[in-house]
Amino acid sequence: MNESRVRLVVTGDDFGYCPLRDQGMVEAFLAGALTGVSLLVNGASADTAAQLARRHRIPAGLHANLSEGRPVSPGLGSRTSLIGPGGFFLGKMGLRKALAEGRVRLPEVREELRAQLSRFQDLLGQEPTHVDGHQHVHVLPGRGAPRCAPGVRGGPAGVRGPVHPGACGGRPAPLRVAGAPAADLRSGSGGRCPGR
């Protein structure tokens, strides 16, 4: 009898946020509780977190961030649609409001995500295993929402969503996890994922 096997992927988000969180994720990975991490490249400890990922061979994805901290792109000035007072992102609720009001300019989202991907590659020397979003920015509704990290092109990465529709009693749908087609990241049709 040929039994199908299911692989559970457990990812630790916010890797690079702070040293204590990073150390906890490393310990969880070494104990077998995590299968990988998502690196917040603009986090306070991103450099040392990347060193930990390389040292312990932890599979790492890009934790795209448009809501907290400072942007990575040097080209985004203080007058961008993504930045509030003091040069920081708008915050979780501020970004959601700006998206709902149609004030977020997609070319600026693309620029920032490309800069984050480039920083990821500089820190780890490889493509991300997956892309997901800090505070689920990659799946927020609204005009110009950055679904599927538009403009981010990278190796075998897949886009990890927060909920599998089939798990909530709806029609089963394929999970968007590591190993999903890279085309899901290219999003050439207005920032929408295929099948969404």
Side-chain angles (χ1 to χ4, degrees):
M1 182 162 128
N2 192 5
E3 293 182 32
S4 63
R5 295 177 83 75
V6 175
R7 179 173 180 243
L8 178 64
V9 176
V10 181
T11 305
D13 288 351
D14 298 342
F15 197 56
Y17 189 85
C18 71
L20 286 175
R21 187 175 296 184
D22 300 342
Q23 190 56 45
M25 286 188 218
V26 169
E27 290 172 13
F29 174 77
L30 294 174
L34 288 180
T35 53
V37 295
S38 295
L39 180 63
L40 193 64
V41 297
N42 74 332
S45 62
D47 291 340
T48 55
Q51 290 172 5
L52 289 168
R54 286 193 315 271
R55 180 180 317 138
H56 297 288
R57 296 186 176 153
I58 302 172
L62 173 63
H63 199 48
N65 179 13
L66 300 173
S67 61
E68 189 174 356
R70 293 187 183 274
V72 172
S73 173
L76 289 181
S78 61
R79 301 184 68 157
T80 178
S81 64
L82 298 172
I83 307 301
F88 293 93
F89 284 124
L90 300 171
K92 180 168 129 176
M93 298 314 292
L95 177 64
R96 289 177 183 202
K97 182 178 181 194
L99 283 167
E101 294 172 356
R103 293 186 285 120
V104 173
R105 293 188 289 274
L106 198 55
E108 294 171 354
V109 170
R110 286 188 182 111
E111 179 181 337
E112 176 59 20
L113 294 176
R114 285 183 182 126
Q116 289 184 25
L117 176 62
S118 179
R119 175 135 168 83
F120 180 96
Q121 292 164 331
D122 289 345
L123 288 169
L124 289 166
Q126 65 186 35
E127 298 288 335
T129 59
H130 64 278
V131 176
D132 60 18
H134 186 58
Q135 300 171 335
H136 301 302
V137 297
H138 62 302
V139 293
L140 289 175
R143 200 176 112 230
R147 281 197 177 109
C148 293
V152 175
R153 298 176 191 271
V159 175
R160 182 179 62 106
V163 175
H164 177 236
C168 300
R171 195 177 96 244
L175 287 171
R176 302 262 181 227
V177 295
D184 289 350
L185 300 177
R186 296 199 177 103
S187 183
S189 58
R192 300 226 32 166
C193 289
R196 290 214 194 232

